[in-house]
Amino acid sequence: MITGSGVGTVEGYAARRGWRSRVGELRRLDWPLFVAVLALSVVGALLVRSATFQLLTEQGKDPEGFLKRHILNLVIGFVLGGVVTVLDYRLLRAYVPILYAVACVGLVAVLSPLGETINGSHSWIVLGGGFQVQPSEFAKVGLVVLLAMIMGEPRDGEIGPGRRDVLLALVLAGVPAVLIMLQPDLGTTLVFIAVVLGMLAISGAQKRWLFGLVGGGLAAAAAVWFFGLLEDYQIARFTAFLDPEADPRGAGYNAQQARIAVGSGGGFGKGLFQGEQTGGHFVPEQQTDFIFTVAGEELGFVGGAMIVALLGVVLWRGLRIATQAADLFGTLVATGVVCWLGFQTFQNVGMSIGIMPITGLPLPFVSYGGSATFANMIAFGLLQAVHVRRRAFD
């Protein structure tokens, strides 16, 4: 029998083994993914500072105010990502219904008197002290783990989700999607669609579901347009995308100024904090939706390409994690995160250079924001959690 105290006890042995296990998990982190997210966060902080310094100075406010809040958001975000990494993602199955319910309650609260309208979208709950929450960002996390739980556990004799599983997944995904459309937030709704299609394709569901959803989505989009269910500002964004010069002082202003800012940077940019378009506040919401225009003007094509390359590393590592996951649940979680971040990256960069309509989606890990930063870091933590436990018996 082992007796005594300290290192010779059973408790001491268990403690040492637990510590070694934690160190082993740290070594098994996907370090290229970590470095890419860290680099994007640093670059994003510099761009946020550049986009807001002059404006805050002119307003007589703390010129580093946005930067300080952004750094605080990043610190909290990395802590959240670390907590998710340490937790066993396979245990999430038991808590998915709770996460889904909380996400839906938050979306309902936005539509109540608690919600606030910012930039034409009733998507925020203002907490005071300059802090506000956007529940739709956390709903993305809830959607990913919900679909992974439903479609990641095929029934006996099935190699993929059956009809009942797919229908259940679509119905449950449709509830938060409808609540988000009521805000209205078309950009986040499109992210939901990308996540659902991507996870269905990887889950092994029959292809007829994908074809049916794509066809139904096109028909629904045509019906929404025909019956005038979109808000005027959303219609204006689409028409401005098709022809920004048709209304250069109105709906086409944002798209036109964004292209001017990106194009003026040339190959190597005007230098960090030296952007004339950025300093002159010609592009609205430049620290959030149009952060890529700051990179285009001040860092040029090379700097913009570097940011895209770093985001590409995040997506590449995410796909690699999906292929090496220990189970289908992990594969679907990683797939959902990749679809979410991939679509949002393409949409944000695309609207900054004029190849996509303006929808108000931030650039992952780069744009200023609290809720978006926290949700992105939780997604980053989910990828790391799946990677650390890629062996079936870890």
Side-chain angles (χ1 to χ4, degrees), residues 261-305:
V262 173
S264 66
F268 298 95
K270 299 175 180 177
L272 192 61
F273 312 134
Q274 303 300 317
E276 298 173 359
Q277 297 289 321
T278 298
H281 328 308
F282 291 102
V283 183
E285 305 300 327
Q286 205 164 13
Q287 74 274 16
T288 53
D289 299 345
F290 287 102
I291 193 73
F292 191 77
T293 64
V294 185
E297 181 183 16
E298 298 186 349
L299 305 179
F301 175 81
V302 173

